[in-house]
Amino acid sequence: MSARRAINGRLLRCFGLCLFLYLMLASSYATTSYTISLENPDQHLVEVQILLPEGLAVRELQLPVWNALYQIRDFAQYVNWARAKDRAGHPVSVRKLDGGRWQITGVHEGASVEYQMFVDSPGPFGAQLNSHHAFLNLAQILMYPVDARGSPMAVRFNQLPKGWHIATPLTAMPDGSFSAKNYEWLVDSPVEIGTFQESDLDEGGGRYRVIVDAASNDYDMEKISAMLRKIVAGATSWMDDRPFESYMFLYHFPRGPAGGGMEHAYSTAIALNAEGLTRDPGVLASVTAHEFFHLWNVKRIRPQTLEPVDYTKENYTRALWFSEGCTSTAADIILLRSGLLDERHFEQELAADIGELERRPAHLTQSAEESSLDAWLEGYPYYRHPERSISYYNKGELLGITLDLAVREASHGQASLREVFQWMNQNYARKGRFFSDSSGVREAAESVSQADLGWFFTNYVEGTDEIPWNDFFRFVGLRLIEGKTAVAEAGFVASRNFDGPMTVASTTGGGPADLAGLQAGDTILEINGSAPGQEASETIARLAPGDTIRVKIHARRGAERELKWIVGSREETSYELKDLENVTAEQRARRTAWLKGEAEIPRAAALSPGNPR
């Protein structure tokens, strides 16, 4: 080979490399555009078009296998067909590589990809299109280009039924589309499309959109707005932070099964059964406070193990006891501060939560960290048995309570859970960093208390030691009392996965449900004429021994049937929080500060020359 030919070869290779880098850079910054057509609401079908900008000749598209819930749900199961054309309109090859990934070839100048999906998963964790409305968690219907997930994204919605309009925290553009800086931002923005009602409010410098999809006689918008003012004011003042200019609350109050909320960076979607709200109006404030506080804890104060999000497999973390459970702790503090929860009801709920943990035998075998890791098993009925698992929500909330008390005692009233969260907000969220699971929480707690709290994390977070409740409650002049109570025993255990039907996990052999014909694997459609909640125990708790229970089922091997039997009775350990016999003035002062979510001694005073640490 001559010197000239060698030089030309090197130049060609250099040019090829430069062209490859250019195409990669171009695909990294050019916008990927989606169009979602709602042309078949009655059939629950959406059609999606993706316009890919110029880039590589071979591109891959991925549809997430999970979203919203820590469960693999493989949304590709709902894709009916997929096809693609190049920019000249010529068909190009679309090859499915695995369950959720497609390969498109011959598209270096860009391409148009189209596919159709069945979309009918109700609730805040799903995506649904029907003749009433559309609610979309976009990760469940939008494939992303694997090589350009971090690129700008835009989405528009076509063929809306007459009278429907759109609500989403995404940025609206002049051309009618909505934009996001990347795929994560796009799919972290739920979309409601329909004939919903809206009421906006301003509070503390923030703008709040309130979207409600429900029958007009099932809610009071003025009461919801008044509640929200108290919650957002209480939360932002407690955190001394408001990391947004606008935020959207999206509520669904259906007559059918519903329960729960899903947090997003600039919004939350909450679905609660309308009849259940009539029975217990306070649940709306409780769920709202929890989901709103998530905008700090988990959306910004975030464990490293959840980053970056991997949409192709499970994302395991040991920190859900903190990210979810301690969010519930903070939510109660916010409700107490805002006057939406009083001391008596708070202590009753706290005692009930302790009872829930203590009555699950698995609290002696599964730690809070292990429960967090096992979140991906919650879709399996056996896993939810009390002998198999505890709830990271339940124990995590109780760990938040006890950690708060431990920090207060160790710091002599100079710090609390509030300072733990503010420290993590300052040192992680505001600096764009993530914390290292339980050790990151320990670092924050020890920094604000200036004490070694390793015993707490070793024994109660990593370990399964019994929590000595009264050792913690004594600090605020309370004690936990055990008793015995007769409760209804229906003879079966059943619960629903978040987006699935209620399923019977087991029946008591020879018990009333078993004798009536109920079997494990049966689907429960109604209990006493109403759609069941998340757990059958919630309905049974409202019954008394001797009451009649009517259960409509779809039998595991047969058609629909209605079963009826008399509820039995069993003795259960109950718990109650009471004052110590001789509560000191100092303990009462500590309790007052505890219920306000504030350190007993203001930090400014604690750091003054007269109060050395």
Side-chain angles (χ1 to χ4, degrees):
M1 180 183 295
S2 68
R4 178 175 294 178
R5 290 178 62 191
I7 292 172
N8 288 340
R10 286 195 295 271
L11 287 174
L12 285 172
R13 286 194 295 273
C14 181
F15 174 77
L17 177 61
C18 290
L19 178 61
F20 174 80
L21 292 174
Y22 167 76
L23 292 173
M24 285 291 291
L25 189 64
S27 67
S28 297
Y29 291 98
T31 298
T32 299
S33 299
Y34 298 89
T35 298
I36 301 174
S37 298
L38 312 179
E39 61 178 338
N40 288 304
D42 293 335
Q43 299 178 47
H44 317 291
L45 295 175
V46 301
E47 292 195 7
V48 179
Q49 180 193 57
I50 310 175
L51 293 181
L52 296 173
E54 63 181 28
L56 301 175
V58 179
R59 309 286 297 274
E60 290 185 3
L61 297 173
Q62 173 74 49
L63 187 64
V65 303
W66 73 279
N67 171 250
L69 298 171
Y70 296 109
Q71 291 177 26
I72 297 296
R73 293 189 280 167
D74 265 330
F75 305 115
Q77 65 181 296
Y78 300 117
V79 177
N80 289 331
W81 49 260
R83 57 184 178 234
K85 297 178 181 179
D86 62 21
R87 279 299 174 94
H90 303 126
V92 296
S93 171
V94 179
R95 179 170 175 252
K96 193 171 185 179
L97 299 179
D98 55 37
R101 186 172 298 213
W102 286 259
Q103 184 182 77
I104 319 295
T105 58
V107 293
H108 63 280
E109 293 183 350
S112 169
V113 182
E114 297 177 346
Y115 55 94
Q116 184 189 72
M117 288 191 73
F118 177 81
V119 178
D120 192 30
S121 178
F125 314 105
Q128 183 178 51
L129 171 65
N130 57 30
S131 58
H132 169 70
H133 79 145
F135 172 74
L136 306 175
N137 277 308
L138 294 175
Q140 298 177 25
I141 62 173
L142 297 184
M143 302 178 186
Y144 62 85
V146 174
D147 62 323
R149 189 173 125 180
S151 299
M153 304 278 172
V155 61
R156 68 173 63 246
F157 303 92
N158 280 351
Q159 296 179 291
L160 275 63
K162 185 177 180 180
W164 285 21
H165 39 291
I166 302 170
T168 176
L170 289 167
T171 302
M173 304 302 290
D175 65 355
S177 67
F178 297 88
S179 69
K181 65 180 182 181
N182 54 38
Y183 185 78
E184 274 66 39
W185 282 65
L186 178 68
V187 300
D188 196 25
S189 305
V191 182
E192 173 71 18
I193 307 176
T195 57
F196 53 81
Q197 298 298 309
E198 178 170 357
S199 177
D200 299 345
L201 60 93
D202 296 304
E203 178 62 43
R207 180 76 170 172
Y208 300 90
R209 297 183 65 189
V210 188
I211 309 297
V212 180
D213 177 71
S216 59
N217 58 343
D218 284 336
Y219 69 97
D220 185 322
M221 186 68 90
E222 290 187 7
K223 288 183 178 179
I224 292 175
S225 296
M227 173 199 73
L228 286 176
R229 285 188 184 278
K230 293 178 180 180
I231 288 174
V232 300
T236 53
S237 66
W238 195 63
M239 286 298 292
D240 191 24
D241 185 41
R242 180 177 52 78
F244 58 85
E245 293 183 2
S246 64
Y247 187 93
M248 186 179 84
F249 291 95
L250 171 57
Y251 292 108
H252 294 149
F253 303 134
R255 295 293 180 93
M262 183 63 213
E263 72 277 359
H264 300 278
Y266 294 98
S267 63
T268 181
I270 294 171
L272 295 170
N273 174 262
E275 296 163 313
L277 280 177
T278 300
R279 290 191 301 266
D280 183 10
V283 71
L284 181 60
S286 179
V287 174
T288 298
H290 178 102
E291 300 305 330
F292 185 64
F293 193 75
H294 267 315
L295 77 90
W296 290 282
N297 198 27
V298 96
K299 298 312 295 185
R300 291 168 175 83
I301 302 172
R302 189 164 176 83
Q304 180 63 69
T305 41
L306 290 181
E307 287 294 329
V309 177
D310 189 336
Y311 292 109
T312 69
K313 63 182 180 180
E314 299 90 340
N315 288 197
Y316 290 104
T317 177
R318 296 179 182 272
L320 293 183
W321 70 268
F322 180 77
S323 297
E324 290 289 355
C326 290
T327 294
S328 294
T329 312
D332 278 349
I333 293 171
I334 291 163
L335 295 176
L336 285 163
R337 288 172 63 85
S338 61
L340 294 169
L341 179 65
D342 60 39
E343 178 181 354
R344 182 174 66 87
H345 286 97
F346 167 70
E347 292 173 2
Q348 288 176 343
E349 291 176 4
L350 177 53
D353 288 338
I354 292 172
E356 179 183 339
L357 178 66
E358 293 289 337
R359 287 190 290 269
R360 296 188 74 88
H363 81 274
L364 298 174
T365 56
Q366 186 184 48
S367 71
E369 287 192 335
E370 290 168 340
S371 176
S372 301
L373 282 174
D374 287 344
W376 298 89
L377 302 178
E378 289 177 336
Y380 301 103
Y382 180 76
Y383 176 77
R384 298 197 292 270
H385 276 233
E387 297 80 15
R388 172 63 182 90
S389 66
I390 62 171
S391 164
Y392 52 82
Y393 281 93
N394 170 241
K395 187 170 183 181
E397 180 176 6
L398 296 171
L399 288 173
I401 293 285
T402 49
L403 179 61
D404 187 9
L405 293 170
V407 167
R408 289 170 183 275
E409 186 166 9
S411 66
H412 307 290
Q414 296 174 10
S416 69
L417 189 65
R418 179 186 193 178
E419 281 68 37
V420 174
F421 273 119
Q422 289 189 353
W423 190 95
M424 296 183 79
N425 194 43
Q426 182 63 41
N427 289 278
Y428 291 111
R430 290 182 176 177
K431 294 180 179 179
R433 299 170 56 223
F434 307 109
F435 69 91
S436 53
D437 286 17
S438 298
S439 62
V441 183
R442 177 181 172 181
E443 178 189 13
E446 291 184 340
S447 295
V448 301
S449 65
Q450 296 197 351
D452 182 356
L453 296 175
W455 57 272
F456 181 92
F457 288 85
T458 298
N459 295 335
Y460 312 127
V461 177
E462 302 167 23
T464 57
D465 287 11
E466 291 275 22
I467 297 176
W469 304 106
N470 285 327
D471 289 353
F472 291 99
F473 291 132
R474 189 178 299 112
F475 186 72
V476 290
L478 291 171
R479 59 190 172 120
L480 187 70
I481 300 173
E482 292 186 19
K484 296 293 182 181
T485 304
V487 298
E489 173 56 77
F492 72 98
V493 175
S495 60
R496 68 166 68 251
N497 195 9
F498 283 104
D499 63 343
M502 175 170 283
T503 305
V504 177
S506 63
T507 62
T508 303
D514 181 41
L515 295 175
L518 192 69
Q519 297 182 356
D522 289 349
T523 298
I524 294 181
L525 306 176
E526 292 180 358
I527 299 179
N528 286 347
S530 298
Q534 200 67 30
E535 304 285 340
S537 58
E538 298 170 356
T539 301
I540 296 166
R542 296 193 290 270
L543 301 175
D547 285 352
T548 297
I549 184 170
R550 292 178 294 106
V551 179
K552 186 177 181 181
I553 66 166
H554 189 282
R556 182 180 54 178
R557 298 176 181 175
E560 291 185 7
R561 302 170 57 197
E562 182 169 289
L563 308 178
K564 182 172 65 173
W565 65 89
I566 302 298
V567 173
S569 174
R570 64 181 171 85
E571 193 175 66
E572 183 176 88
T573 302
S574 60
Y575 296 87
E576 188 177 8
L577 278 169
K578 290 283 192 180
D579 283 352
L580 291 173
E581 291 184 2
N582 297 298
V583 183
T584 67
E586 183 179 21
Q587 287 170 325
R588 290 196 181 279
R590 292 170 183 164
R591 193 188 308 178
T592 299
W594 178 53
L595 294 171
K596 289 182 178 179
E598 298 174 352
E600 186 178 350
I601 302 173
R603 178 162 293 276
L607 297 178
S608 67
N611 292 286
R613 298 194 67 164

